[in-house]
Amino acid sequence: MAAGVAIGVLAVRKLTEAKETFGPQGLNRAVGSLADSIANFADAVRDGMQEREADLRAALGVDN
């Protein structure tokens, strides 16, 4: 039980430090930046899939 309490206290301290470091605006910016990065990655994957599909269609002689 003591170990659980100690872990809880450490977690609260780390969260408090992170909150003070980033602040509400910094945290919002970090989350926004992460969301933008994920969206950009998804777009790149979609583009790659479309290019690969076009290559496969051309190689197999299948046209729309």
Side-chain angles (χ1 to χ4, degrees):
M1 186 166 161
V5 171
I7 291 171
V9 169
L10 289 174
V12 169
R13 284 185 182 174
K14 290 290 184 181
L15 287 172
T16 303
E17 286 177 16
K19 183 180 174 184
E20 289 173 358
T21 300
F22 289 115
Q25 303 243 339
L27 184 58
N28 288 342
R29 259 184 262 133
V31 170
S33 176
L34 178 63
D36 289 342
S37 295
I38 291 171
N40 290 338
F41 175 74
D43 289 341
V45 169
R46 263 187 240 106
D47 291 343
M49 287 172 37
Q50 289 173 350
E51 287 178 19
R52 181 65 178 146
E53 184 176 354
D55 291 344
L56 290 172
R57 286 184 177 278
L60 294 173
V62 178
D63 294 327
N64 287 347

